[in-house]
Amino acid sequence: MPFLGFEGPAGTGKTYRLIDEVCSSALKLTGSSQRVLGLTFMHGSRRRLEESFANKEQIRGRSHATTIDSFAASMVRRWSFLLSFVPDFSRFDEICDACGMLLKRPEVANWVAATFPIIAIDEAQELKPCMLRVAKALSASTRLIVAADEFQCLDEQLDTGPFSEWFATGNVQRLTLVRRTGRQGLLDAGVALRNSEGPKSGSGLSIRYEFPAQVKFTVGHALRNATGSRAILVAPGSTPWANEIIGQLASGIRSKRQSIPPLPIAWDTGPSNEISKVVDALCSTAEQISSSEVLRRIGQLADTPAWMPAVINNIEMARRAHGKNIWSQSELFAVCSKRANLHRAYGYSSNYGIRVMTIQAAKNRQFRDVVVLWGPGIPGSADHLRRLLYNAISRAEHNCTVIVRTQLLLGQPPFI
């Protein structure tokens, strides 16, 4: 039976249709141990997929969402005795290749089909060759449901030809009606960019250059006046410029004619900087400290991250169960990294302010109002720049303001 696919521009409801089909198919689940499996690429999208599953009564408690890398690693660990080599678990591509090999074996394929008879893959245009191997193998033994849009692939180094060729072999439904927004300017810009044309300002969309002194006020007014979820999306290479604007908006800005109060604004990023700051405060490079001293220093930290209680539990457990009383900086870094990344993957943020993120990090997300900061020197072909801008603009439900740093950019791709 060929897999079922959903294809269409951003906002046409590919993920919605995917989940709806999963729920319909789940009526055929038989054994109490059978579950629906959702696969995606990043922990943020995995968490959103998991939330969607949890909201559906048909599959609540009978579904599991994970990243393709994590699924491959768990399969390799379970069935490693069937491999003729020991894969390096730090090499994700090698693990996915090994998983693809295992899934071709009847005993492994039968186990997966019995455990996860229904599997959904979201954002499948990002499938690299090793991951595509996994998807092909799964389609042979399970009810596979796939959502994808090749134009939204932002990895310029990835040849999407093999994926497109395989995707065309499925029972693919093409979606055309954009449901995310009814604002004509946003809709027209999406069509233009997909047709290799320059987008124009219109209802819901403003593309503009501002004098340097005015940029922060333009961004501030766009975000301050918004009534729902808000985000600043930063193009590659534009982070220093964005940081300058963000710092000013967080403190509040004022001129003779304009005033913006401090805005709740912060980067929505990974925990690496937070980890380094915490570990540096706990222990120096040459230092080795006792468990009790580590806990004392944690208690003195001014702002403890949400994942710190898990670190404390780790340190106390190591002391009770293994008698570990001395810690080096590298050991503390390993514990903090593990707990911080697990929290980011499975925890839920309470930050509902204005989020700042790269365009790539905003994939598969949506906000009512979006500001895009587009600076010069973004690497890539004209087609890649159009894909970047498309992904940025299509995150907006109501308003999107694109600000270019130099007026010259308006005469270059992707704006022409």
Side-chain angles (χ1 to χ4, degrees):
M1 180 178 180
F3 65 87
L4 175 63
F6 296 103
E7 180 183 33
T12 52
K14 295 184 296 298
T15 301
Y16 177 87
R17 292 290 302 277
L18 176 141
I19 294 172
D20 191 52
E21 184 62 32
V22 163
C23 292
S24 298
S25 300
L27 297 175
K28 301 176 183 178
L29 292 177
T30 55
S32 59
S33 62
Q34 289 189 332
R35 307 181 75 190
V36 171
L37 177 64
L39 298 177
T40 186
F41 294 86
M42 301 176 68
H43 283 298
S45 54
R46 176 210 58 78
R47 187 167 61 198
R48 289 186 288 276
L49 191 60
E50 195 169 66
E51 289 173 341
S52 297
F53 284 170
N55 288 329
K56 298 296 182 179
E57 185 178 352
Q58 302 94 319
I59 56 175
R60 188 179 301 141
R62 302 195 69 182
S63 61
H64 174 63
T66 187
T67 63
I68 293 180
D69 290 336
S70 295
F71 169 73
S74 66
M75 290 296 297
V76 171
R77 289 190 181 97
R78 175 180 287 270
W79 300 95
S80 59
F81 63 92
L82 295 177
L83 293 170
S84 59
F85 63 97
V86 179
D88 183 347
F89 279 86
S90 67
R91 299 178 182 271
F92 296 131
D93 288 358
E94 185 176 321
I95 294 299
C96 286
D97 263 331
C99 179
M101 293 171 58
L102 288 170
L103 288 170
K104 290 183 178 180
R105 298 183 64 107
E107 61 267 50
V108 179
N110 290 338
W111 180 87
V112 172
T115 308
F116 301 111
I118 303 166
I119 298 180
I121 303 179
D122 200 12
E123 298 287 333
Q125 69 274 355
E126 307 285 351
L127 286 171
K128 297 187 291 185
C130 59
M131 295 180 176
L132 183 58
R133 186 177 189 178
V134 172
K136 288 179 177 179
L138 291 173
S139 68
S141 58
T142 68
R143 170 61 166 162
L144 187 66
I145 308 164
V146 181
D149 176 21
E150 190 276 337
F151 191 73
Q152 292 187 65
C153 178
L154 297 184
D155 184 354
E156 195 172 21
Q157 305 305 314
L158 177 61
D159 178 8
T160 57
F163 163 75
S164 297
E165 184 178 340
W166 171 72
F167 195 53
T169 65
N171 177 16
V172 179
Q173 298 182 19
R174 289 174 173 81
L175 311 178
T176 57
L177 178 62
V178 176
R179 302 175 183 275
R180 179 170 297 163
T181 181
R183 305 276 273 174
Q184 198 60 47
L186 295 172
L187 296 172
D188 291 345
V191 172
L193 288 164
R194 295 179 76 96
N195 290 334
S196 300
E197 300 170 358
K200 306 296 181 185
S201 295
S203 175
L205 175 65
S206 174
I207 301 174
R208 58 208 288 187
Y209 163 76
E210 295 283 4
F211 290 113
Q214 178 60 27
V215 169
K216 57 183 178 289
F217 288 101
T218 301
V219 175
H221 287 306
L223 297 172
R224 180 190 180 189
N225 296 333
T227 56
S229 56
R230 300 164 288 174
I232 296 178
L233 307 186
V234 182
S238 302
T239 298
W241 179 41
N243 282 337
E244 179 183 338
I245 296 170
I246 293 163
Q248 292 171 326
L249 291 175
S251 301
I253 51 177
R254 180 185 297 274
S255 70
K256 291 182 179 179
R257 298 182 178 180
Q258 303 176 81
S259 176
I260 305 288
L263 297 178
I265 185 169
W267 274 92
D268 184 21
T269 61
S272 56
N273 291 337
E274 192 176 49
I275 294 167
S276 297
K277 186 182 295 184
V278 166
V279 174
D280 287 344
L282 296 180
C283 182
S284 67
T285 306
E287 191 178 13
Q288 289 193 328
I289 62 174
S290 66
S291 297
S292 58
E293 180 62 15
V294 173
L295 297 177
R296 188 187 71 80
R297 293 184 185 185
I298 289 175
Q300 292 181 334
L301 293 176
D303 297 307
T304 56
W307 43 265
M308 190 55 74
V311 172
I312 295 172
N313 287 340
N314 254 182
I315 292 170
E316 292 179 335
M317 178 63 72
R319 179 170 56 183
R320 291 196 305 268
H322 306 290
K324 182 173 179 57
N325 283 304
I326 301 298
W327 294 84
S328 66
Q329 188 185 67
S330 61
E331 289 172 328
L332 288 173
F333 189 88
V335 171
C336 289
S337 294
K338 181 177 180 179
R339 294 305 165 190
N341 284 306
L342 281 173
H343 178 80
R344 179 168 172 78
Y346 295 98
Y348 293 84
S349 173
S350 60
N351 175 20
Y352 294 104
I354 301 168
R355 302 184 179 187
V356 185
M357 64 195 73
T358 64
I359 293 174
Q360 290 90 337
K363 289 191 65 177
N364 201 30
R365 302 175 74 168
Q366 59 192 66
F367 306 91
R368 189 177 190 277
D369 290 271
V370 170
V371 172
V372 182
L373 297 178
W374 191 278
I378 301 173
S381 64
D383 178 66
H384 179 63
L385 297 182
R386 279 189 285 270
R387 291 172 184 242
L388 274 172
L389 185 58
Y390 175 82
N391 271 273
I393 290 175
S394 61
R395 299 308 97 201
E397 299 171 346
H398 187 69
N399 277 320
C400 179
T401 302
V402 181
I403 302 176
V404 298
R405 191 170 191 182
T406 66
Q407 196 164 17
L408 185 64
L409 288 170
L410 293 176
Q412 300 173 354
F415 301 101
I416 60 171

